[in-house]
Amino acid sequence: MRESLAYLIHALRMLVHEPATTLRVLQPALVLLGGASIAAATVAPDFLALSAQDPESLVLPTPGKMLTGLLLAVLALLGYALVAILWHRHVLLDGPEQLRPDGGIVLSYIWRAILVGLVQMAISIPVIFLISAFGASGMPVSLLGILAAVFFVWVALRLSVILPAAALGETMTIRQSWETTAPSALPLLWLALWLLVINSLISAGIALLVTPATPFGIALGTLAYLVEGLIFISVLTTLYGHLVQRRPLS
């Protein structure tokens, strides 16, 4: 547990130690992400509100708004990827080239993120069957859901060390990521739990403050996703720095 807290504290400390520097480093990505979010809220608010609608009374936007929303979603995805790449490079690289990733690095990062997602999806299939089997045997569904969520975040932590490597223009396979994180497998399980607790607290706070389907609720929800993503990105940066570059956690 101590090692997992050391990872988390180090990741959080990097983000908040010099807020002005953090904002300066991430500014290009935040401008892109913020612009895409504002444009989506202005041009295609119906697209953004889809997730907040009751499935039984779901009203689809017009094809034009759907297309606009999808294009803006791609820009937002690019913004999130750029946030991660800039942060990884800022922390893990030295020199003036650190904040100038080329298009190849961005595409490589996005592809590896998709690859990690596909592997997680493949792993989820037997896990869902196991959850169904244990649920049928009488185990509480809520407990099974928590255990499954911790497991999926743990798998993401084990696999996603390839992402900082991609941001640095280095080659690392998913197998190498799994092997690199093997010595910290148990601490990463605890770390997955801490990350879920943080995300749950943020989500609960947003739900208490605003109505999700309102423009302000959508904006605050987007900000919450960004904060959660930044924490996870900083954790991956810490893992790569410690496990690959052998940097201390202190």
Side-chain angles (χ1 to χ4, degrees), residues 14-25:
M14 286 195 300
L15 288 172
V16 303
H17 177 60
E18 295 182 356
T21 300
T22 299
L23 290 175
R24 176 181 56 79
V25 168

Side-chain angles (χ1 to χ4, degrees), residues 25-175:
V25 168
L26 300 179
Q27 182 181 2
L30 294 178
V31 168
L32 176 60
L33 187 57
S37 300
I38 292 171
T42 304
V43 178
D46 297 341
F47 182 84
L48 283 177
L50 281 177
S51 61
Q53 291 185 27
D54 184 352
E56 295 183 359
S57 58
L58 184 66
V59 178
L60 293 176
T62 64
K65 287 186 177 181
M66 284 290 289
L67 179 59
T68 301
L70 288 172
L71 290 174
L72 291 172
V74 170
L75 286 178
L77 174 63
L78 183 60
Y80 274 115
L82 196 54
V83 165
I85 292 168
L86 291 176
W87 188 249
H88 294 322
R89 291 174 70 84
H90 167 68
V91 175
L92 300 171
L93 283 180
D94 296 317
E97 79 285 353
Q98 61 185 7
L99 294 182
R100 292 199 298 269
D102 58 33
I105 285 178
V106 175
L107 291 176
S108 175
Y109 193 95
I110 292 174
W111 163 243
R112 293 189 194 187
I114 292 172
L115 189 60
V116 169
L118 291 174
V119 173
Q120 285 185 281
M121 191 180 302
I123 293 173
S124 71
I125 295 173
V127 172
I128 290 172
F129 278 113
L130 285 174
I131 289 174
S132 300
F134 281 115
S137 69
M139 285 190 68
V141 175
S142 58
L143 176 60
L144 289 172
I146 293 171
L147 293 176
V150 171
F151 174 76
F152 287 130
V153 175
W154 177 74
V155 169
L157 291 171
R158 296 287 308 274
L159 301 178
S160 297
V161 176
I162 68 170
L163 299 180
L168 303 185
E170 298 175 359
T171 301
M172 176 182 283
T173 66
I174 283 184
R175 179 177 180 178

Side-chain angles (χ1 to χ4, degrees), residues 188-229:
L188 291 185
L189 195 61
W190 281 104
L191 181 56
L193 178 60
W194 304 141
L195 290 173
L196 280 174
V197 169
I198 290 173
N199 290 352
S200 298
L201 290 175
I202 292 174
S203 298
I206 297 296
L208 289 174
L209 289 174
V210 297
T211 303
T214 64
F216 181 66
I218 292 171
L220 204 56
T222 301
L223 180 60
Y225 285 132
L226 177 60
V227 171
E228 293 170 5

